PDB file of all heavy atoms in Angstrom:
ATOM      1  N   GLY A  39      65.533 101.057 -15.132  1.00 95.00           N
ATOM      2  CA  GLY A  39      65.066 101.751 -16.335  1.00 95.00           C
ATOM      3  C   GLY A  39      66.050 101.750 -17.490  1.00 95.00           C
ATOM      4  O   GLY A  39      65.786 102.320 -18.540  1.00 95.00           O
ATOM      5  N   GLY A  41      66.888  99.266 -19.329  1.00 97.00           N
ATOM      6  CA  GLY A  41      66.495  98.349 -20.413  1.00 97.00           C
ATOM      7  C   GLY A  41      66.823  96.889 -20.158  1.00 97.00           C
ATOM      8  O   GLY A  41      66.697  96.058 -21.053  1.00 97.00           O
ATOM      9  N   LYS A  42      67.197  96.555 -18.937  1.00 96.00           N
ATOM     10  CA  LYS A  42      67.632  95.179 -18.622  1.00 96.00           C
ATOM     11  C   LYS A  42      66.516  94.152 -18.834  1.00 96.00           C
ATOM     12  O   LYS A  42      66.719  93.143 -19.501  1.00 96.00           O
ATOM     13  CB  LYS A  42      68.123  95.097 -17.163  1.00 96.00           C
ATOM     14  CG  LYS A  42      69.229  96.081 -16.825  1.00 96.00           C
ATOM     15  CD  LYS A  42      69.710  95.913 -15.402  1.00 96.00           C
ATOM     16  CE  LYS A  42      68.673  96.207 -14.330  1.00 96.00           C
ATOM     17  NZ  LYS A  42      68.219  97.605 -14.266  1.00 96.00           N
ATOM     18  N   SER A  43      65.340  94.407 -18.250  1.00 95.00           N
ATOM     19  CA  SER A  43      64.246  93.435 -18.366  1.00 95.00           C
ATOM     20  C   SER A  43      63.789  93.325 -19.820  1.00 95.00           C
ATOM     21  O   SER A  43      63.445  92.233 -20.286  1.00 95.00           O
ATOM     22  CB  SER A  43      63.068  93.847 -17.478  1.00 95.00           C
ATOM     23  OG  SER A  43      63.448  93.759 -16.130  1.00 95.00           O
ATOM     24  N   THR A  44      63.783  94.456 -20.522  1.00 97.00           N
ATOM     25  CA  THR A  44      63.389  94.425 -21.933  1.00 97.00           C
ATOM     26  C   THR A  44      64.327  93.516 -22.720  1.00 97.00           C
ATOM     27  O   THR A  44      63.881  92.684 -23.515  1.00 97.00           O
ATOM     28  CB  THR A  44      63.414  95.865 -22.517  1.00 97.00           C
ATOM     29  OG1 THR A  44      62.574  96.683 -21.706  1.00 97.00           O
ATOM     30  CG2 THR A  44      62.942  95.890 -23.950  1.00 97.00           C
ATOM     31  N   GLN A  86      61.595  88.854 -13.154  1.00 80.00           N
ATOM     32  CA  GLN A  86      61.760  89.651 -11.939  1.00 80.00           C
ATOM     33  C   GLN A  86      60.562  89.387 -11.012  1.00 80.00           C
ATOM     34  O   GLN A  86      60.724  89.208  -9.826  1.00 80.00           O
ATOM     35  CB  GLN A  86      61.790  91.118 -12.374  1.00 80.00           C
ATOM     36  CG  GLN A  86      62.348  92.057 -11.390  1.00 80.00           C
ATOM     37  CD  GLN A  86      62.606  93.423 -12.041  1.00 80.00           C
ATOM     38  OE1 GLN A  86      62.515  93.603 -13.248  1.00 80.00           O
ATOM     39  NE2 GLN A  86      62.923  94.393 -11.223  1.00 80.00           N
ATOM     40  N   ASP A 160      66.420  87.562 -14.108  1.00 93.00           N
ATOM     41  CA  ASP A 160      66.146  88.994 -14.000  1.00 93.00           C
ATOM     42  C   ASP A 160      66.183  89.387 -12.521  1.00 93.00           C
ATOM     43  O   ASP A 160      65.326  88.965 -11.746  1.00 93.00           O
ATOM     44  CB  ASP A 160      64.771  89.303 -14.608  1.00 93.00           C
ATOM     45  CG  ASP A 160      64.606  90.783 -14.909  1.00 93.00           C
ATOM     46  OD1 ASP A 160      65.417  91.589 -14.410  1.00 93.00           O
ATOM     47  OD2 ASP A 160      63.656  91.131 -15.639  1.00 93.00           O
ATOM     48  N   GLU A 161      67.155  90.170 -12.152  1.00 91.00           N
ATOM     49  CA  GLU A 161      67.324  90.650 -10.763  1.00 91.00           C
ATOM     50  C   GLU A 161      67.291  89.506  -9.741  1.00 91.00           C
ATOM     51  O   GLU A 161      66.456  89.493  -8.840  1.00 91.00           O
ATOM     52  CB  GLU A 161      66.222  91.660 -10.402  1.00 91.00           C
ATOM     53  CG  GLU A 161      66.167  92.892 -11.277  1.00 91.00           C
ATOM     54  CD  GLU A 161      67.202  93.956 -10.920  1.00 91.00           C
ATOM     55  OE1 GLU A 161      67.967  93.756  -9.951  1.00 91.00           O
ATOM     56  OE2 GLU A 161      67.251  94.967 -11.633  1.00 91.00           O
ATOM     57  N   VAL A 192      70.738  89.857 -15.109  1.00 95.00           N
ATOM     58  CA  VAL A 192      70.776  91.317 -15.079  1.00 95.00           C
ATOM     59  C   VAL A 192      70.468  91.788 -13.669  1.00 95.00           C
ATOM     60  O   VAL A 192      69.704  91.148 -12.941  1.00 95.00           O
ATOM     61  CB  VAL A 192      69.770  91.959 -16.070  1.00 95.00           C
ATOM     62  CG1 VAL A 192      70.030  91.490 -17.489  1.00 95.00           C
ATOM     63  CG2 VAL A 192      68.332  91.688 -15.672  1.00 95.00           C
TER      64      VAL A 192
HETATM   65 MG1   MG B   2      63.896  95.206 -14.664  1.00 50.20          MG
END
Side-chain angles (χ1 to χ4, degrees):
K42 304 183 296 295
S43 294
T44 304
Q86 198 168 351
D160 197 346
E161 301 280 358
V192 302

